[in-house]
Amino acid sequence: MTIIPKEERGREEFTVTETESTVTQHHYSRDNLRLLQNSFWHFSKVQQNLSTTDMAAASSLLSEDQFLCSICLDVFTDPVTVPCGHNFCKNCITDHWNINVHCQCPMCKKCFDRRPELYVNTFISEMVAQFRQSSVKESSCSSGQQGAKPGEVLCDVCTDTKVKALKSCLVCLTSYCETHLEPHRRIPGLKRHQLIDPVKNLERRMCKKHDRPLDLFCETDQMCVCRFCTETDHKLHHTVALEEEFERKKAELGKTDTEVQQMIQERRLKIQEVKQSVKLSREGADRETAVSVKVFTALIQSVQKGLAQLTNVIEETHKTREKQAEVFIQELEEEISELMTRSAEVEQLSRTEDHLQFLQSFPSLNPVPPTKDWTKVRVRSSYEGAVRRAVAQLEETLSKEMEKLHAYAEIKRVQQYAVDVTLDPDTANPFLILSDDGKQVSHGNVKQNLPCSSKRFRCYSIFGKQSFSSGRFYYEVQVKGKTSWILGVARGSVDRTGCVVPSPKNGVWDLRLTKEEEFKVGGSSVHLFLESKPQKVGVFVDYEEGLVSFYDVDVPAVIYSFTGCKFTEKLYSYFNPCHNCGGKNSTPLIICPINSDD
């Protein structure tokens, strides 16, 4: 007689077939089968007929030791019976035979000629399930645990009131509450099971093809597999333990998280940068608005002033013409009066019929009084000349104001390239006096005892420490109170051994004031006529564009620009405070901090 399990959903149905062939193949003991049937029938009857309070007594009819695998010392999982009649977990006996060359029973040491086919022993499997259910049901009923809340993982063993699971077993694929977890803490075999925090859908941890736990990871296909998968579809693939892959992936995840956190931090910093830019933009917009309001207010005032002046001129012109017209009218009335008197005399004489009296009176008749030629005399009514002159003057005023506005915008643009320039004492002429912070230089009357150096200028000049060989840079120097000075940029190779005239030809692009009122650039080649004397001069250089520009910062105005320059080496800021002229020019050149908010 043998046991042929039916691979159907019920798993409670089974068939006992008495065929000679099956008896010969499996060597199952008839007495052993009868014992299993009687034990299962007895345990089922006890479970069906006894009350809840008697379940402890019923469960004690069969002890846990009767359901332990002799290999793993744990409660049977998928129990199978080998031909000698001993029972083992299917996975345990399979692994045992995979390790040992001969197929031998671990209990009685009986050897088999060939590896027998293994089928799950339905009787023992059902008895184990019934035993577990009856044991945990007793514990559940007596524990008095409260039911689980919505969303919590439920204990799979509780039958009446489902309580919250404390742990999930990756071996049993079952979630247990505190009461039903007790065997895993007490039985040695169960203690080796892997417990994790409770999770749902434990069936997802089973291989759908082999109904075994997914405890390996196939690196070839990047998927979780069971041990049987490594003998079939993934036989030649590289597999590792799930824990090993977990640790590796977790390390990768940690690295990814670090990168993500860094990216988050970078973006937060970018947000701060953008917010700061918006803040600066707001401040810049307010400044530009204030300047625009100031400039356009000045333009409006100029227009209003021009309109008032034009209206006044027109009114004064009209009054002048009105007085002139009154004079003309008076003269005309006087001439009319004289002419009317002469007309009356002529008319009276013309009425005389006495020839003698007419002829005697005719010579005494006054001639026609001299009169003015009024054909070219007129009072002008047009004011085109006055309007044209006023519009021309207004255009000139507006042009000057627009130039100021453009210059202001230009200065604000180049100020963003401001650099911190400090004077280099190693290049200073011995007569020059430097401030401690390296921001001021003036000419002194006494030559200082300084080390000789090829870097040092023989003329009253000095370089800034910073050099520039690309890009743009800008700095400002206060020249207020000085009667002469020279500013600009120079090549590092400029001749410092003598009094060479600074000029682009000699490697210096400069702006200078001489004799208090004369402004020159490029040495002495170009004279400038400035409306006002600069108090603060800005110097801007665009290395790639070959541009050097000078600005009157306070007006504001563009003083002069060198264009088309060819720079091939390092440039330095260049300063020459010139001779102090007995104290008249002792005021220092001062490198000013750039305040773009002005």
Side-chain angles (χ1 to χ4, degrees):
M1 182 180 296
T2 185
I3 306 170
I4 303 176
K6 285 187 176 180
E7 301 296 333
E8 298 177 1
R9 291 187 177 181
R11 292 195 68 185
E12 296 179 357
E13 299 181 6
F14 57 88
T15 303
V16 179
T17 307
E18 296 184 10
T19 61
E20 192 64 31
S21 60
T22 55
V23 171
T24 303
Q25 180 180 358
H26 294 288
H27 303 284
Y28 284 142
S29 170
R30 188 178 301 273
D31 294 336
N32 185 33
L33 179 58
R34 187 178 295 109
L35 174 62
L36 291 173
Q37 288 176 319
N38 292 337
S39 299
F40 178 76
W41 176 85
H42 178 73
F43 187 79
S44 299
K45 289 297 183 180
V46 169
Q47 186 180 26
Q48 294 174 6
N49 298 329
L50 292 182
S51 62
T52 303
T53 57
D54 294 331
M55 289 302 288
S59 62
S60 64
L61 294 176
L62 296 174
S63 65
E64 284 183 354
D65 295 339
Q66 294 176 291
F67 301 103
L68 295 182
C69 173
S70 60
I71 298 178
C72 66
L73 300 179
D74 197 356
V75 177
F76 284 125
T77 302
D78 295 336
V80 295
T81 303
V82 297
C84 63
H86 293 108
N87 302 308
F88 306 96
C89 296
K90 184 177 181 181
N91 192 42
C92 293
I93 191 62
T94 301
D95 292 342
H96 177 76
W97 284 346
N98 288 338
I99 296 174
N100 296 280
V101 178
H102 301 289
C103 295
Q104 187 181 53
C105 175
M107 293 291 291
C108 64
K109 306 302 181 181
K110 182 176 181 179
C111 295
F112 309 108
D113 295 336
R114 58 187 178 87
R115 180 180 293 192
E117 288 191 47
L118 300 177
Y119 297 93
V120 175
N121 192 318
T122 310
F123 289 120
I124 298 178
S125 179
E126 293 295 341
M127 290 179 67
V128 170
Q130 292 288 349
F131 176 77
R132 284 177 173 171
Q133 182 177 358
S134 62
S135 298
V136 299
K137 186 173 183 180
E138 175 192 356
S139 300
S140 175
C141 293
S142 60
S143 61
Q145 298 184 85
Q146 295 181 352
K149 297 179 181 179
E152 294 180 338
V153 179
L154 305 179
C155 175
D156 294 328
V157 182
C158 293
T159 55
D160 296 333
T161 302
K162 290 288 186 179
V163 299
K164 177 182 177 182
L166 183 64
K167 293 289 182 180
S168 293
C169 179
L170 296 182
V171 178
C172 303
L173 293 178
T174 306
S175 297
Y176 299 103
C177 63
E178 183 176 4
T179 300
H180 298 134
L181 188 63
E182 188 272 336
H184 280 74
R185 293 173 173 171
R186 176 172 51 84
I187 301 175
L190 295 179
K191 286 182 179 181
R192 294 195 298 269
H193 289 191
Q194 184 178 357
L195 300 176
I196 61 172
D197 291 334
V199 294
K200 296 181 179 180
N201 302 323
L202 284 171
E203 61 274 7
R204 295 176 55 186
R205 300 176 179 271
M206 294 291 290
C207 177
K208 295 181 179 179
K209 185 175 182 179
H210 302 105
D211 198 28
R212 301 299 298 169
L214 298 171
D215 52 0
L216 297 175
F217 185 82
C218 177
E219 293 186 337
T220 305
D221 291 338
Q222 290 293 301
M223 61 183 297
C224 296
V225 298
C226 70
R227 294 187 181 275
F228 288 172
C229 292
T230 60
E231 299 176 0
T232 55
D233 298 342
H234 303 267
K235 185 174 183 179
L236 300 179
H237 294 179
H238 183 260
T239 58
V240 296
L242 211 60
E243 294 80 2
E244 180 181 343
E245 184 66 17
F246 168 78
E247 294 298 333
R248 190 174 69 83
K249 284 289 194 295
K250 192 172 183 181
E252 291 181 4
L253 191 63
K255 183 179 179 181
T256 302
D257 182 62
T258 301
E259 294 175 354
V260 170
Q261 292 300 324
Q262 183 178 354
M263 294 173 65
I264 292 173
Q265 185 64 23
E266 290 174 354
R267 278 149 183 76
R268 285 176 176 171
L269 292 176
K270 193 65 178 180
I271 290 175
Q272 295 300 321
E273 179 184 337
V274 172
K275 288 182 178 179
Q276 181 65 19
S277 299
V278 172
K279 180 181 178 182
L280 294 177
S281 176
R282 178 71 271 169
E283 294 174 355
D286 293 340
R287 289 195 304 271
E288 295 301 320
T289 300
V291 172
S292 300
V293 169
K294 182 179 179 181
V295 171
F296 280 92
T297 299
L299 293 177
I300 293 172
Q301 290 176 350
S302 299
V303 172
Q304 291 175 341
K305 182 179 179 181
L307 177 60
Q309 290 177 347
L310 177 60
T311 304
N312 185 58
V313 168
I314 293 174
E315 188 63 27
E316 292 297 327
T317 303
H318 171 70
K319 289 181 179 180
T320 300
R321 292 177 180 178
E322 192 176 43
K323 291 180 180 180
Q324 186 181 30
E326 291 177 355
V327 172
F328 289 161
I329 292 173
Q330 184 178 357
E331 290 180 0
L332 287 170
E333 288 178 345
E334 291 177 354
E335 289 186 0
I336 291 172
S337 177
E338 292 179 359
L339 290 173
M340 289 181 68
T341 300
R342 180 60 178 160
S343 177
E345 292 177 354
V346 171
E347 182 180 1
Q348 183 178 0
L349 182 60
S350 64
R351 291 176 182 177
T352 301
E353 296 295 335
D354 187 345
H355 298 101
L356 179 61
Q357 182 180 0
F358 179 83
L359 293 174
Q360 290 177 341
S361 299
F362 187 82
S364 61
L365 185 66
N366 293 327
V368 178
T371 57
K372 189 174 182 179
D373 184 6
W374 293 97
T375 57
K376 296 182 179 180
V377 176
R378 62 174 58 109
V379 178
R380 297 179 62 187
S381 60
S382 174
Y383 293 89
E384 292 181 0
V387 174
R388 186 162 51 249
R389 288 191 297 274
V391 170
Q393 184 177 1
L394 180 60
E395 287 179 349
E396 182 180 357
T397 302
L398 292 176
S399 177
K400 291 181 179 179
E401 292 297 330
M402 291 303 295
E403 288 179 2
K404 290 182 180 180
L405 184 60
H406 286 302
Y408 173 83
E410 175 68 11
I411 291 176
K412 290 301 178 184
R413 182 186 69 83
V414 299
Q415 279 181 338
Q416 65 180 316
Y417 303 107
V419 294
D420 184 15
V421 176
T422 305
L423 299 170
D424 184 2
D426 294 337
T427 64
N429 177 275
F431 280 93
L432 297 184
I433 301 174
L434 277 63
S435 62
D436 294 337
D437 61 358
K439 298 295 185 181
Q440 302 183 24
V441 59
S442 60
H443 179 271
N445 293 319
V446 180
K447 182 178 180 180
Q448 303 176 74
N449 186 16
L450 299 176
C452 295
S453 173
S454 59
K455 296 181 179 180
R456 200 175 302 282
F457 280 96
R458 293 285 299 274
C459 59
Y460 304 139
S461 302
I462 185 173
F463 270 170
K465 289 183 179 180
Q466 296 75 16
S467 64
F468 305 93
S469 57
S470 64
R472 304 177 178 91
F473 63 94
Y474 173 84
Y475 63 95
E476 294 178 354
V477 182
Q478 181 177 304
V479 297
K480 182 179 180 180
K482 295 190 65 62
T483 58
S484 60
W485 46 264
I486 304 175
L487 292 175
V489 293
R491 292 196 298 257
S493 62
V494 67
D495 186 7
R496 312 181 196 186
T497 60
C499 296
V500 179
V501 177
S503 66
K505 180 180 178 181
N506 296 325
V508 180
W509 293 264
D510 71 304
L511 169 68
R512 63 174 59 194
L513 170 64
T514 60
K515 298 180 181 180
E516 299 188 5
E517 297 297 336
E518 293 182 2
F519 290 92
K520 301 177 182 179
V521 292
S524 303
S525 59
V526 180
H527 291 254
L528 303 177
F529 300 95
L530 306 181
E531 293 184 0
S532 61
K533 186 177 180 180
Q535 304 298 305
K536 185 187 293 185
V537 176
V539 182
F540 172 71
V541 177
D542 188 327
Y543 195 97
E544 283 73 20
E545 291 294 327
L547 174 68
V548 180
S549 297
F550 298 92
Y551 300 91
D552 185 339
V553 179
D554 296 325
V555 169
V558 180
I559 299 176
Y560 188 81
S561 293
F562 291 97
T563 58
C565 307
K566 294 183 179 180
F567 303 128
T568 57
E569 57 181 276
K570 292 181 179 180
L571 297 180
Y572 293 83
S573 51
Y574 178 83
F575 307 85
N576 188 329
C578 298
H579 196 279
N580 65 10
C581 299
K584 293 182 180 180
N585 191 36
S586 60
T587 304
L589 292 174
I590 304 175
I591 301 173
C592 304
I594 308 300
N595 186 5
S596 60
D597 295 338
D598 292 342

